[in-house]
């Protein structure tokens, strides 16, 4: 009867160790949160990731520069280019101007002509 209790305790200990190991593997990440891209960040890590970003003018300018180079190399600087890259810039320009002049357009739409 004593040997049965010892076996049960070791089995319980093994279960506890398994649970701790799986929790550690789920919680720990081999890549630091700061170096992850936005799409790779888990929802629980998002506030910490946002706080670690560089919001100085130099950091924001660097982010825009990286975005520009990524866009340029993906859509403009290609061997067989199409109209996709230029049309996206044109669509963004039209949308920006529409948002900028929305107040005047809305006021004109509500005005009665008679």
């Amino acid at each position: 009867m004593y040997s049965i209790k010892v076996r049960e305790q070791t089995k319980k200990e093994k279960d506890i160790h398994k649970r701790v190991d799986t929790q550690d593997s789920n919680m720990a990440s081999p890549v630091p949160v700061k170096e992850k891209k936005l799409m790779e960040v888990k929802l629980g890590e998002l506030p910490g990731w946002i706080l670690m970003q560089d919001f100085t003018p130099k950091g924001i300018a660097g982010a825009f520069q990286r975005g520009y180079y990524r866009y340029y190399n993906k859509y403009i600087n290609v061997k067989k280019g199409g109209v996709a890259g230029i049309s996206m810039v044109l669509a963004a320009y039209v949308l920006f101007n529409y948002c900028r002049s929305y107040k005047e357009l809305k006021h004109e739409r509500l005005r009665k002509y008679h």
Side-chain angles (χ1 to χ4, degrees):
M1 191 158 186
Y2 176 72
S3 61
I4 294 173
K5 283 187 176 182
V6 171
R7 286 185 199 156
E8 288 177 8
Q9 287 176 349
T10 57
K11 188 176 180 181
K12 286 180 184 178
E13 289 175 358
K14 287 181 183 178
D15 290 339
I16 291 171
H17 289 299
K18 280 183 186 178
R19 277 188 251 141
V20 170
D21 289 341
T22 56
Q23 287 175 353
D24 288 343
S25 65
N26 291 338
M27 302 281 285
S29 175
V31 179
V33 177
K34 185 176 182 178
E35 295 177 9
K36 288 184 179 180
K37 295 180 182 177
L38 177 60
M39 296 303 292
E40 296 172 356
V41 176
K42 294 182 180 178
L43 196 56
E45 299 172 340
L46 188 60
W49 182 83
I50 290 172
L51 291 174
M52 288 184 190
Q53 298 306 309
D54 187 13
F55 289 109
T56 62
K58 184 178 179 182
I60 293 171
F64 275 103
Q65 185 178 18
R66 284 191 306 273
Y68 170 77
Y69 283 126
R70 183 175 179 192
Y71 171 81
Y72 181 79
N73 288 325
K74 187 172 184 178
Y75 295 107
I76 307 297
N77 190 21
V78 292
K79 289 183 181 178
K80 289 188 175 182
V83 295
I86 304 299
S87 63
M88 277 191 269
V89 171
L90 183 62
Y93 175 73
V94 168
L95 184 66
F96 174 73
N97 283 326
Y98 178 76
C99 291
R100 194 178 63 167
S101 62
Y102 179 75
K103 196 175 197 179
E104 292 86 16
L105 292 172
K106 182 180 175 186
H107 185 68
E108 186 176 329
R109 185 183 68 202
L110 298 175
R111 190 177 301 149
K112 290 185 179 179
Y113 294 100
H114 44 87

